[in-house]
Amino acid sequence: MPGGAMLDVRRLRLLVELSQRGTLAAVAEALSYSPSSVSQQLSLLEKEAGVPLLVQVGRRVQLTPQALVLVEHARAVLDRLEEAEADVARSLTTVGGTVRIAVFQSAAHAMVPLALTLLRTEHPALRVEVTEREPELALFDLAARDFDLVIAEQYPGYTRAHRADLDRVHLASDAIRLALPPDDTGGRGAPPPANPGGRGAPPPENPDGRVAPPQATRIETPGGRVAPPQATRIETPGGRGAPPEYPGGRGAPPEYPGGRVAPPQATRIETPALAAASDRPWVLEPEGTAPREWAEQLCRDAGFEPDVRFETADLMAHIRLIRSGNAVGLLPDLVWAGEAPTVRLVDLAGHPQREVFSSTRLAAAARPAVVACRDALVRAARANATPAGR
């Protein structure tokens, strides 16, 4: 740094962004600059540092060893500045500012509305901006400071790359079930789990044609009586279906009045039901995503390759395709947001669950606005949780 010149923090951030995103065009797009402006600012940073930071390699630029050293220090500087902002914010008596949240679809459907209601009531000065984003991309954007908080998911047996600069807080364990059309018999002539009258539905049949044991479809209420799955109501600890934070069901936000129906009750038919769907059209999420890889592996473990005719990340489209009889699929409970399911749900062997978690940069974790958002999301997740002992 000739003459004791001070390194400009904004230019340091551009260098960090370039190290993460790889191209000047990507940095420009992320920060709403022109590529020529980014290039000009990095040239000024080179003059401040007194060493070359970029070399041209074909049509791209590459960071020099000196630039990589500077990137590590720049990250530490940016983290310290974020921690300083959090400390200042904690000294205030109200929670305010803006929190940018990235969330995947079913969590946006089930958790975010209630969380926003709580935040609006408890922290009216806080502005929350929500963007739907797939977890893989959202976590990258979080590290790049495009978001302040991410709600992400992890499927059984699928491990995400660990990032030392991000934390992880558990929100919910979300059951995943086989979803069939409402009047589907599972492909072996078995009737639906309950007839319209609620009683007298014959038990389902196994793949070999034999009648399954009665306990395969029995779901008992707390009083010990057998109830058909569609009729069973499970109350939360408040006694009226309200989340635990609202004892007795009083004071629940308007979106979740006391007494609502608990999340879906599934027919307890396991591996044979999945195998029975082997010759059916399937709807799954796009290739390369964690849900798709997990679903395909599950089907392969059951002895077949799914016939994927419909591919979309929109789980509402999944529901419509399944409900109309055009496909079968795998749906997480959160997609119902506490409402009664409109398709037939069947438990899978081992009762798999995905983990839903929130993540933020370690430097931002103590920021009051981020803490408030996480608290609201935890309460919203509990309000949508399937009660134990189904």
Side-chain angles (χ1 to χ4, degrees):
M1 287 170 283
M6 182 72 70
L7 296 174
D8 186 282
V9 172
R10 291 169 297 180
R11 292 169 188 151
L12 286 174
R13 186 188 174 189
L14 291 177
L15 188 65
V16 172
E17 291 282 345
L18 182 58
S19 73
Q20 292 176 313
R21 301 183 189 274
T23 67
L24 295 173
V27 174
E29 182 180 1
L31 301 180
S32 300
Y33 292 162
S34 67
S36 60
S37 177
V38 172
S39 179
Q40 182 182 31
Q41 292 299 312
L42 289 173
S43 294
L44 292 173
L45 182 61
E46 280 188 320
K47 292 179 180 178
E48 291 174 350
V51 294
L53 299 178
L54 306 176
V55 293
Q56 195 77 29
V57 180
R59 300 180 63 181
R60 301 167 66 96
V61 293
Q62 182 174 307
L63 274 63
T64 66
Q66 294 74 30
L68 294 175
V69 171
L70 194 54
V71 162
E72 293 305 309
H73 287 284
R75 285 191 174 125
V77 168
L78 293 172
D79 285 346
R80 287 293 292 160
L81 287 173
E82 196 162 22
E83 290 167 1
E85 291 173 355
D87 288 343
V88 171
R90 282 203 303 273
S91 70
L92 302 175
T93 56
T94 59
V95 176
T98 299
V99 176
R100 302 159 299 168
I101 301 177
V103 59
F104 62 93
Q105 188 192 47
S106 54
H109 182 60
M111 294 182 185
V112 170
L114 175 54
L116 292 176
T117 297
L118 294 170
L119 290 168
R120 185 179 69 243
T121 301
E122 298 168 4
H123 307 290
L126 179 62
R127 175 185 173 91
V128 180
E129 298 175 354
V130 180
T131 301
E132 184 179 318
R133 192 69 55 92
E134 288 304 305
E136 289 84 357
L137 181 58
L139 290 168
F140 174 86
D141 290 342
L142 174 66
R145 292 179 165 80
D146 291 343
F147 295 106
D148 303 303
L149 188 64
V150 164
I151 304 174
E153 61 185 354
Q154 180 160 306
Y155 277 73
Y158 186 91
T159 303
R160 295 189 180 280
H162 175 72
R163 294 194 62 106
D165 55 336
L166 303 181
D167 71 1
R168 177 168 169 162
V169 174
H170 177 83
L171 285 176
S173 295
D174 190 22
I176 307 167
R177 311 179 199 272
L178 175 65
L180 305 171
D183 59 351
D184 194 278
T185 62
R188 292 292 186 271
N195 62 21
R199 285 195 287 264
E205 294 181 356
N206 286 326
D208 59 3
R210 295 177 298 171
V211 175
Q215 62 268 24
T217 56
R218 291 170 66 91
I219 298 178
E220 295 191 353
T221 63
R225 294 172 297 173
V226 176
Q230 302 303 319
T232 303
R233 292 173 63 89
I234 299 180
E235 303 287 354
T236 55
R240 294 173 53 199
E245 287 71 23
Y246 304 98
R250 294 183 294 274
E255 288 84 350
Y256 294 85
R260 63 177 175 79
V261 177
Q265 303 299 300
T267 308
R268 290 194 175 278
I269 307 172
E270 298 182 346
T271 304
L274 185 62
S278 61
D279 59 351
R280 306 292 297 276
W282 281 74
V283 55
L284 292 178
E285 298 199 35
E287 287 188 4
T289 62
R292 173 64 171 267
E293 292 178 3
W294 177 81
E296 288 181 332
Q297 188 59 54
L298 187 73
C299 293
R300 289 164 186 161
D301 289 344
F304 69 95
E305 191 72 22
D307 178 10
V308 183
R309 300 190 193 179
F310 311 101
E311 183 178 286
T312 173
D314 184 353
L315 293 185
M316 298 301 106
H318 286 222
I319 291 173
R320 289 182 178 275
L321 286 165
I322 296 167
R323 190 171 60 209
S324 63
N326 288 296
V328 300
L330 297 165
L331 292 176
D333 281 357
L334 269 182
V335 76
W336 305 110
E339 299 175 358
T342 58
V343 301
R344 183 182 177 216
L345 297 175
V346 179
D347 276 345
L348 296 167
H351 310 290
Q353 297 179 328
R354 64 174 179 174
E355 181 192 6
V356 181
F357 63 93
S358 68
S359 183
T360 190
R361 293 178 298 280
L362 293 176
R367 183 181 162 200
V370 171
V371 172
C373 288
R374 277 185 147 166
D375 175 67
L377 287 167
V378 166
R379 285 183 280 164
R382 289 175 182 167
N384 280 285
T386 302
R390 297 185 304 94

